[in-house]
Amino acid sequence: MNMHAIRIHKFGGPEVLEDEVLPVPEPKGDEILVRIEAASVNPVDYKTREGKFPKAPDDALPITLGRDLSGVVEATGSGAKDVSKDKAVFALLGYDRGAYAQHVVLKRGEWAAKPQNISHIEAAAVPLAALTAWQGMIDHGGLKSGQRVLIHGGAGGVGHFAIQIAKAKGAWVATTCAKRDFDFVRSLGADGAIDYKTEKFEDRVSDIDLVYDLIAGDTQERSFNVLKQGGTLVSTLQEPDKAKALYKDIKTAHYMAKPDADELKQIAMLIEAGKIHPVVHATYRLADAARAEQALATEHVRGKIVLTVEQ
């Protein structure tokens, strides 16, 4: 039995993505085989394709891109006792496999039951972006109810989940974004929206407990000025200045999201409770993955771009 997968055999632009026919993998031990219904497109995908992040050696090629998905269990390994065929799941993969495909094998700790109140397309938009926001603000940022949070880049894939998670945890939330995104971020629960092009966020907010930085550069450097003593600066993109943090008594973290089934289950519960909802900016067919990546890299995207996977 064969499947289609989008792979790269060399690093480069969208043109290096190739649609190939490969054998469907077999699950072993406690693994499960999932028929993918949808997969999301993330910046890590085109950065990997370009050979920039995470830097993969040439001998690791070919690589199937795609980190997260939603689909249906088709088969299970002999040790997979807690899941049955036809169960709907969503997942964040390790880097050794890709979701731009019709099938993939999932390992224990990577998947959770798909929220019942959203589609596969919406569910595919969740794992990487929502886990990135969750792990950044809660695991590394120590987010608590009643705190004041500033999120840089709140209208994007990770940012739109970060706003909702922070609000679900009882925080006051401000975010920087483009002015045209004000209504969007407010609809997600943001208490304050700051136009990064025409306003200085330092003039708008102060005494911030947690800055969640999805922009880096000068924006990150200036964020030290709005944090209260003992506050926290967390970034997905750049290690904060440790000397400045020590001088100002600021805790810092720089991290990459990792699969975590338990946290994915908690996110699913918040989705089913109506406290979080994924926003899908656009969908493309799996065969059009190159167009989808180009759109994410060059267009103004609110929320996520998702690939629909036809069998």
Side-chain angles (χ1 to χ4, degrees):
M1 185 170 156
N2 292 328
M3 68 174 189
H4 283 270
I6 305 298
R7 301 207 293 177
I8 60 171
H9 289 258
K10 61 182 178 180
F11 299 114
E15 71 280 355
V16 304
L17 291 169
E18 298 183 27
D19 187 344
E20 301 184 353
V21 177
L22 303 171
V24 172
E26 295 183 7
K28 301 176 182 178
D30 58 6
E31 297 174 340
I32 61 175
L33 174 67
V34 170
R35 180 182 76 247
I36 300 174
E37 297 290 339
S40 88
V41 181
N42 296 284
V44 67
D45 298 322
Y46 64 75
K47 291 177 182 179
T48 300
R49 186 201 72 221
E50 293 169 346
K52 296 177 181 178
F53 174 84
K55 180 61 177 123
D58 289 336
D59 60 9
L61 298 171
I63 294 172
T64 303
L65 297 177
R67 295 295 314 283
D68 51 356
L69 62 102
S70 183
V72 177
V73 178
E74 276 207 346
T76 63
S78 58
K81 305 297 185 183
D82 56 350
V83 63
S84 58
K85 186 178 179 182
D86 296 328
K87 183 178 181 66
V89 299
F90 68 152
L92 172 61
L93 300 175
Y95 284 101
D96 58 326
R97 286 147 294 135
Y100 288 12
Q102 291 177 312
H103 292 82
V104 74
V105 164
L106 302 182
K107 300 178 180 180
R108 179 176 292 279
E110 293 179 336
W111 60 270
K114 181 185 80 67
Q116 296 183 13
N117 61 334
I118 60 174
S119 67
H120 281 293
I121 289 174
E122 292 169 310
V126 174
L128 178 55
L131 281 171
T132 299
W134 185 283
Q135 291 170 10
M137 294 191 301
I138 297 176
D139 296 350
H140 295 285
L143 177 65
K144 295 179 178 62
S145 178
Q147 288 188 325
R148 290 169 57 82
V149 176
L150 173 61
I151 297 167
H152 290 306
V158 176
H160 92 287
F161 281 116
I163 292 171
Q164 296 178 81
I165 290 170
K167 291 302 296 181
K169 295 297 181 180
W172 179 91
V173 179
T175 185
T176 57
C177 60
K179 188 172 184 178
R180 58 179 160 170
D181 291 322
F182 277 13
D183 288 343
F184 175 60
V185 298
R186 286 170 178 153
S187 74
L188 300 173
D191 300 286
I194 304 166
D195 182 2
Y196 72 92
K197 293 182 179 180
T198 63
E199 300 178 279
K200 288 187 175 182
F201 60 84
E202 305 97 310
D203 296 335
R204 291 283 308 278
V205 296
S206 60
D207 294 323
I208 296 295
D209 296 284
L210 170 63
V211 170
Y212 186 51
D213 169 38
L214 300 169
I215 302 299
D218 178 64
T219 296
Q220 183 185 102
E221 286 298 305
R222 291 159 49 208
S223 294
F224 282 100
N225 298 324
V226 301
L227 280 161
K228 65 171 55 174
Q229 185 175 5
T232 304
L233 173 56
V234 179
S235 177
T236 60
L237 297 175
Q238 174 183 308
E239 181 76 48
D241 188 322
K242 290 189 177 298
K244 184 177 290 187
L246 182 63
Y247 177 75
K248 290 181 171 285
D249 189 23
I250 300 297
K251 296 183 285 292
T252 66
H254 172 235
Y255 73 105
M256 289 174 55
K258 58 185 180 181
D260 191 309
D262 289 336
E263 292 180 342
L264 204 51
K265 289 176 185 176
Q266 293 181 67
I267 291 167
M269 290 172 62
L270 288 174
I271 291 172
E272 291 182 337
K275 295 184 177 181
I276 295 177
H277 65 276
V279 175
V280 176
H281 176 83
T283 61
Y284 293 79
R285 296 182 307 123
L286 178 63
D288 295 325
R291 288 178 53 214
E293 288 192 357
Q294 188 74 356
L296 180 61
T298 61
E299 296 178 9
H300 183 80
V301 175
R302 288 178 179 170
K304 296 296 299 292
I305 289 177
V306 176
L307 301 176
T308 57
V309 181
E310 299 172 353
Q311 298 297 321

